[in-house]
Amino acid sequence: MSDPAVVLDDLRSESEELDRLVERLSAEQWATPTPAPGWTIAHQIAHLAWTDRAALLAATDADAFAAETEKALAAPDTFVDDGAAEGAALPPGELLARWREGRERLQEALRATPPGSRFPWYGPPMSAASMGTARLMETWAHGQDVADALGVVRRPTARLRHVAWIGLRARDYAYLVRGLTPPAEPFRVELTGPDGELWAFGPEDAAQRITGPALDFCLLVTQRVHRDDTALTAHGDDAERWLGIAQAFAGPAGAGRPAEEGR
């Protein structure tokens, strides 16, 4: 996951896949509600455009990003929704153009970053590779909301490995953002990828382990599914507790999705 070019190529592919889902939608379809309460398809794309802009500032103008951070700290419970609502109010064509332009400018900035550089962020500082991975994770997750709203079943791809990786990397953050103490020992995560391959993260001898489908793990750490609606298996109390609070994204702890009825 350390090669920025590989991550950024995959981010571009993920963005283009989502772009194809929305590029021909009517204005009425852009207003379709998604599983995120109060968010339409327009809100989802507006959020991606807004976050791309924030990431571009972080990568190119630390002082300007610091000013944006101050705004977030002043309204921690509403700044994400406010940013999405502002973009969602634009005509769909203008919003789509804004997202396309912003994500390409971010691509250019991250590809031009000197090796070893790190940028400020709402969570831990980011390298170009980790910033690209975070943007891919968010693009995939919000793309899932759009697909669900449209009744589209997307085919999982090997790009999910990036989402799984950042989900595990954000383990301690999920505890800290809730005022909890992270476990001292590392976890082992073994996932079955879309083509049946094994994706393994963490030391082989770790006592706390998680196994199961990569898609389920990615949906869980992006809080697109409830723990009870996955085929994931936790081996150890700490592993099980983490699956109940996992989040791959920076910012306040999310409420998560409710369990499906009847389960």
Side-chain angles (χ1 to χ4, degrees), residues 185-248:
E185 70 275 18
F187 289 2
R188 174 77 168 181
V189 177
E190 297 179 352
L191 305 172
T192 303
D195 296 322
E197 68 276 30
L198 177 65
W199 297 346
F201 309 91
E204 293 184 17
D205 61 350
Q208 303 292 321
R209 306 168 70 88
I210 292 160
T211 59
L215 177 59
D216 286 18
F217 182 77
C218 292
L219 288 169
L220 184 66
V221 298
T222 56
Q223 297 191 354
R224 263 58 189 181
V225 71
H226 190 276
R227 165 74 180 101
D228 293 346
D229 297 326
T230 72
L232 298 170
T233 300
H235 307 267
D237 291 343
D238 284 343
E240 182 61 54
R241 187 183 192 195
W242 176 51
L243 290 183
I245 64 171
Q247 69 176 69

Side-chain angles (χ1 to χ4, degrees), residues 90-107:
L90 296 172
E94 184 177 342
L95 173 57
L96 183 57
R98 176 179 292 189
W99 177 46
R100 287 170 172 169
E101 178 186 3
R103 73 188 198 228
E104 189 55 38
R105 290 181 65 194
L106 180 60
Q107 281 271 345

